[in-house]
Amino acid sequence: MTVLEDIVAGVREDLAEREAAVPLDALKERAQRQPGAKAALTALGGGQDAVTVIAEVKRSSPSKGALADIADPAGLAADYEAGGASTISVLTERRRFGGSLEDLAAVRSRVDVPVLRKDFVVTPYQVWEARAYGADLVLLIVAALEQAALTSLVERVHSLGMTALVEAHDRTEAQRAVDAGAQIVGINARNLHTLQVERGTFSKVVDVIPPGVLKVAESGVRGPYDVLDYARAGADVVLVGEALVTQGQPRQAVADMVAAGNHPAVRAVRP
């Protein structure tokens, strides 16, 4: 069993418990009481001469274990927003990442920028959960889904007014993301088999994604210079987690990356 398969198996077990506790109809009622989802594509600045930042609330990971004791995820998200983050990503997977839907709701209540539910979404129920707890974007991982299921989930996310961030790890997966109707494609440099970061992944895959689809560089962003490197490779957005939660000044760290994304050197390489 691969790391991804093991994680998804745990996700399905936890999901079964939630489905037993909260019927889908009740979840839909909660979702329908939410304000409309925020415009993620606008917030992330598609077509502008800058690279924007998605900042992540992340307690732990399968590759590094515990990263940070985040007692106040909403407070951390507010720091990210103050630093200039365009979107906040919230891990909601419990077993490997220490997250929860309550974290998502807390962040949504505190910030004005769009919020991404980052999890291993494999069923429509989880999409309804995302909307019910205030998400504006939903992560969908190509490697975890058959193509028909991926396309269906993209359509469901969009039908609820949210935006799907569809994550790929290679050229084949990136093409599948595009074929599924993704408006935002993330290219994750972390190898799912070894959990190592291979920073050249983005540049090897990005040309598969057509103009008009936002390109997000995921993993391997340690500081402003990595933002510049990804910008030169064609990224529109960077998603940053570990580098923000493992040092003591998250607001300043985000601000430094946002400044790098607005650097004249970035504008010079934008199409």
Side-chain angles (χ1 to χ4, degrees):
M1 181 179 287
T2 67
V3 173
L4 178 62
E5 289 169 342
D6 184 49
I7 293 173
V8 170
V11 164
R12 288 188 181 278
E13 290 178 7
D14 293 342
L15 175 60
E17 293 180 5
R18 298 198 304 276
E19 287 177 318
V22 182
L24 180 58
D25 286 345
L27 200 62
K28 289 181 177 180
E29 288 179 9
R30 176 170 176 163
Q32 289 161 359
R33 292 195 299 268
Q34 290 285 340
K38 296 180 182 294
L41 288 168
T42 301
L44 290 172
Q48 296 183 6
D49 293 336
V51 171
T52 53
V53 175
I54 301 174
E56 190 159 85
V57 177
K58 184 177 187 179
R59 291 189 175 91
S60 61
S61 75
S63 60
K64 296 291 182 66
L67 297 172
D69 181 14
I70 302 172
D72 182 12
L76 177 60
D79 279 343
Y80 288 161
E81 183 178 31
S86 294
T87 292
I88 309 299
S89 171
V90 182
L91 265 302
T92 59
E93 196 277 335
R94 176 178 63 87
R95 300 189 184 200
R96 297 295 190 97
F97 294 90
S100 69
L101 287 163
E102 287 69 31
D103 286 350
L104 179 64
V107 169
R108 171 70 286 153
S109 70
R110 187 73 174 272
V111 301
D112 292 324
V113 296
V115 176
L116 164 70
R117 181 190 185 182
K118 195 175 184 190
D119 207 318
F120 298 80
V121 173
V122 291
T123 73
Y125 184 93
Q126 293 164 287
V127 176
W128 281 103
E129 278 184 328
R131 187 82 280 270
Y133 282 80
D136 307 290
L137 303 94
V138 179
L139 181 75
L140 300 174
I141 301 173
V142 174
L145 297 161
E146 297 293 335
Q147 189 65 16
L150 174 63
T151 301
S152 177
L153 288 172
V154 169
E155 292 172 351
R156 180 60 56 89
V157 169
H158 293 169
S159 75
L160 296 182
M162 299 182 290
T163 304
L165 193 172
V166 185
E167 179 178 292
H169 297 81
D170 57 34
R171 295 177 67 84
T172 299
E173 290 182 5
Q175 186 60 59
R176 287 182 57 200
V178 172
D179 292 345
Q183 298 170 314
I184 307 177
V185 175
I187 300 173
N188 195 335
R190 190 174 298 282
N191 186 302
L192 287 178
H193 301 289
T194 67
L195 298 181
Q196 297 301 306
V197 172
E198 300 170 1
R199 290 185 177 84
T201 300
F202 186 90
S203 61
K204 295 175 182 176
V205 174
V206 66
D207 65 289
V208 174
I209 305 169
V213 176
L214 282 184
K215 305 162 185 67
V216 183
E218 302 178 32
S219 297
V221 181
R222 299 158 296 183
Y225 288 106
D226 292 315
V227 177
L228 291 171
D229 285 344
Y230 274 134
R232 294 186 186 101
D236 301 303
V237 186
V238 294
L239 190 154
V240 194
E242 181 180 329
L244 299 179
V245 300
T246 55
Q247 51 82 43
Q249 296 181 307
R251 182 185 303 189
Q252 186 60 52
V254 170
D256 290 344
M257 292 183 190
V258 170
N262 282 280
H263 193 277
V266 169
R267 293 195 292 274
V269 299
R270 307 310 292 161

